[in-house]
Amino acid sequence: MDTAIELGVEVLPVLNKIDLPSAMPDNARQEIEDVIGIDASHAILASAKTGLGVDEILEAIIERIPAPQGDPDAPLKALLIDSWFDNYVGVVMLVRVIDGTLRQKNRIRLMASDSTHLCEQVGVFTPKAVPRETLSAGEVGYIISGIKELQAAKVGDTVTSAENPAKEALPGFKEIKSQVFAGLYPIESNQYDSLRESLEKLKLNDASLHYEPEVSQALGFGFRCGFLGLLHMEIVQERLEREFDQDLISTAPTVVYEVLMRDGSIVQVENPAKLPEPSKVEEVREPIITTTVFVPQEYLGNVITLCNQKRGNQVDMTYHGRQVQLIYEMPMAEVVMDFFDKLKSVSRGYASLDYDFKEFRAADVVKLDILINGEKVDALSMIVHRANSIYRGRELASKMRELIPRQMYDVAIQAAIGSNIVARENIKAMRKDVLAKCYGGDITRKKKLLEKQKAGKKRMKQVGSVEIPQEAFLAVLRVGK
């Protein structure tokens, strides 16, 4: 809403569900003015259930919403609003024509990718697709050009004519970059091909999803996936499990770090296991985001405390009636872990969160490794701030001790920063009572039996491997709860 107001878009307030006995339109009007900051004195009272106010809304749209501007005779300029893949016609592009006129069989050029295509069909949605001969300035419609890959039609791109192109593209286009990364692995190793096919099908309708094969010593073959944010990651995982019937193990989400090497080169690291050796690193820069939180006044103290715990730096605080707008600069790594869940918890669900990427900033961060019986588990590695590293290590080792089942031999769980062990937990071995048959006699007899058992346990530990359950890989998310 703030973006719409900043861009000068006409906002038409409508109060829906006015037919409910508990409706309080006067309070709702006041809240719109307090929170959003627009005049709601002429807000239309409506009910989608009974049809009340529908005619007034349509009249208000005609009267108050300005007509689109544009020159139908100018060179073609169309903004690509959305795109999706259709099994029969390929990629369908939804566009808003800013200038010019688009006709069937015209050759069009996508300015960001500099690719040329034949316009096979144009039309509008009313709400079903209706083909038309032309799309003129001010209209919103679709274009079908036989494009086979969704990556070729990037949202925000400018569509122009190949014969009479526009001199410059429409402003505001940015390449989509993944902000959050996580590893997705099949529970059964023979389901790897099925997971790859599922990701390929999902990517047909989601150009912002990126993935590449990855091998983990602990989890086997899987994929490192890049997402736009936390919500995008949750949607993709949910769709893989529901639509494609995949049983997945997902690692804790991580963010992209910028690493300045001693030779002057800059490396992007999205997997903690791939962080270069400290001796080769000049500095590590973590992504900083600008977070905007709306929260009722009664929960303001709890939210400020939470933001400070997450290494947040307060930029602004504004009161809008009963709501407070907080603007913080925070490390994105702190937000992707559990910030949203804790924010909802401390505000009883009333707080809302929005964030935008700001910059990469140098930070004192280290890689925290988890060792099981002396062997690193790469899928459990994480990059944390040095001030929190020992606490995180102890908490994570403690969680692992609860989740990893007992074996026939002792299991040592260690948290390490480089070669420095910062935490350790032991899981005692399951053991048979070998002294049960000894009802007396010399103590050396009992010692002999115990030593024999101890030697057997030692041989088991040399050849045995610890199976880590799925819950252990999600324990990283629950540290500190």
Side-chain angles (χ1 to χ4, degrees):
M1 184 60 73
D2 292 334
T3 306
I5 294 170
E6 287 172 10
L7 294 174
V9 176
E10 182 69 30
V11 178
L12 186 65
V14 176
L15 302 181
N16 191 24
K17 302 185 185 298
I18 200 67
D19 58 301
L20 294 178
S22 58
M24 295 184 289
D26 293 333
N27 291 351
R29 282 195 183 98
Q30 187 62 42
E31 200 166 329
I32 289 173
E33 293 179 356
D34 291 342
V35 176
I36 302 175
I38 62 173
D39 181 20
S41 59
H42 301 293
I44 301 169
L45 304 181
S47 169
K49 181 179 180 181
T50 64
L52 176 69
V54 173
D55 293 335
E56 288 85 346
I57 293 172
L58 295 175
E59 288 295 331
I61 290 172
I62 295 169
E63 180 183 339
R64 294 174 55 182
I65 305 296
Q69 306 294 318
D71 182 3
D73 300 321
L76 177 65
K77 266 188 189 178
L79 178 66
L80 206 162
I81 302 169
D82 195 7
S83 62
W84 60 91
F85 186 83
D86 186 279
N87 290 330
Y88 299 99
V89 297
V91 175
V92 180
M93 296 179 286
L94 186 66
V95 298
R96 178 190 174 190
V97 182
I98 307 297
D99 285 319
T101 303
L102 176 63
R103 295 178 175 84
Q104 281 191 22
K105 306 305 177 186
N106 282 2
R107 293 198 69 81
I108 59 172
R109 183 164 73 91
L110 301 175
M111 298 185 78
S113 57
D114 198 24
S115 56
T116 305
H117 307 277
L118 177 67
C119 179
E120 297 176 357
Q121 184 181 328
V122 296
V124 295
F125 290 103
T126 61
K128 293 185 178 179
V130 178
R132 285 192 176 176
E133 291 296 324
T134 62
L135 285 178
S136 297
E139 291 186 304
V140 175
Y142 66 86
I143 303 174
I144 295 173
S145 297
I147 300 174
K148 299 294 189 292
E149 293 184 350
L150 200 61
Q151 294 92 320
K154 299 174 181 176
V155 174
D157 197 356
T158 302
V159 181
T160 188
S161 171
E163 289 81 13
N164 183 23
K167 292 181 180 178
E168 58 183 21
L170 295 166
F173 174 73
K174 292 180 182 178
E175 286 280 355
I176 295 174
K177 291 185 178 179
S178 300
Q179 300 288 342
V180 177
F181 292 82
L184 296 180
Y185 298 86
I187 290 180
E188 299 292 337
S189 58
N190 58 2
Q191 295 297 310
Y192 173 78
D193 291 333
S194 174
L195 177 58
R196 185 182 61 222
E197 291 172 5
S198 300
L199 285 169
E200 287 173 355
K201 290 176 182 176
L202 200 58
K203 191 171 173 63
L204 288 175
N205 280 309
D206 189 353
S208 55
L209 172 65
H210 295 280
Y211 64 92
E212 59 183 24
E214 183 181 60
V215 181
S216 166
Q217 294 176 355
L219 299 173
F221 292 94
F223 294 92
R224 191 77 182 170
C225 300
F227 310 95
L228 296 180
L230 290 173
L231 180 62
H232 185 213
M233 182 182 74
E234 291 173 7
I235 289 170
V236 168
Q237 291 182 8
E238 191 75 18
R239 289 188 65 186
L240 285 170
E241 291 172 356
R242 285 192 178 186
E243 297 178 21
F244 300 98
D245 199 25
Q246 294 291 322
D247 293 322
L248 300 173
I249 295 177
S250 59
T251 61
T254 59
V255 297
V256 183
Y257 289 85
E258 222 176 50
V259 181
L260 176 63
M261 308 297 286
R262 293 194 183 275
D263 59 5
S265 61
I266 294 177
V267 181
Q268 299 271 348
V269 176
E270 74 274 356
N271 188 345
K274 294 181 181 178
L275 189 70
E277 291 294 324
S279 59
K280 299 178 182 178
V281 175
E282 182 68 28
E283 69 176 18
V284 181
R285 300 166 184 162
E286 64 179 351
I288 301 295
I289 58 176
T290 302
T291 61
T292 304
V293 180
F294 279 96
V295 61
Q297 289 184 25
E298 53 264 36
Y299 305 112
L300 179 62
N302 295 341
V303 173
I304 289 177
T305 302
L306 175 64
C307 292
N308 291 337
Q309 289 174 352
K310 295 296 184 179
R311 297 191 287 130
N313 179 31
Q314 186 174 320
V315 176
D316 190 22
M317 182 170 67
T318 311
Y319 283 82
H320 300 280
R322 291 175 297 171
Q323 295 278 334
V324 183
Q325 182 189 32
L326 286 172
I327 298 178
Y328 269 81
E329 288 181 0
M330 298 176 65
M332 191 172 183
E334 299 286 350
V335 175
V336 301
M337 281 293 179
D338 57 359
F339 179 75
F340 186 70
D341 291 340
K342 287 189 174 182
L343 179 66
K344 289 294 183 184
S345 177
V346 299
S347 67
R348 295 190 179 180
Y350 286 106
S352 63
L353 171 70
D354 187 24
Y355 64 87
D356 293 300
F357 174 78
K358 184 181 181 185
E359 63 183 0
F360 282 98
R361 191 178 295 170
D364 186 14
V365 295
V366 293
K367 183 173 77 164
L368 182 68
D369 291 313
I370 298 297
L371 288 74
I372 307 292
N373 277 349
E375 293 185 6
K376 285 184 183 179
V377 182
D378 52 358
L380 292 173
S381 297
M382 56 193 301
I383 297 175
V384 296
H385 196 267
R386 190 182 296 275
N388 301 332
S389 58
I390 296 178
Y391 164 74
R392 287 257 182 172
R394 288 173 180 168
E395 285 290 310
L396 192 53
S398 178
K399 289 275 186 185
M400 291 291 149
R401 184 173 180 270
E402 297 172 8
L403 295 169
I404 294 177
R406 293 176 68 187
Q407 311 289 320
M408 297 300 294
Y409 46 87
D410 285 351
V411 176
I413 303 168
Q414 296 168 305
I417 300 172
S419 59
N420 183 26
I421 305 297
V422 297
R424 175 178 174 130
E425 294 282 348
N426 290 321
I427 301 176
K428 300 303 289 182
M430 292 188 291
R431 56 188 291 270
K432 180 182 177 182
D433 187 4
V434 293
L435 303 181
K437 58 185 178 183
C438 296
Y439 294 100
D442 190 38
I443 188 66
T444 55
R445 171 66 178 159
K446 295 182 179 179
K447 284 184 177 180
K448 184 179 178 182
L449 290 171
L450 290 171
E451 288 297 325
K452 186 177 179 182
Q453 184 186 49
K454 185 178 178 181
K457 298 286 185 188
K458 189 175 181 181
R459 285 196 300 273
M460 278 188 200
K461 189 172 183 178
Q462 290 173 349
V463 299
S465 60
V466 181
E467 185 174 332
I468 303 173
Q470 179 181 356
E471 293 79 16
F473 296 100
L474 302 177
V476 181
L477 300 172
R478 296 194 290 268
V479 170
K481 289 192 176 179

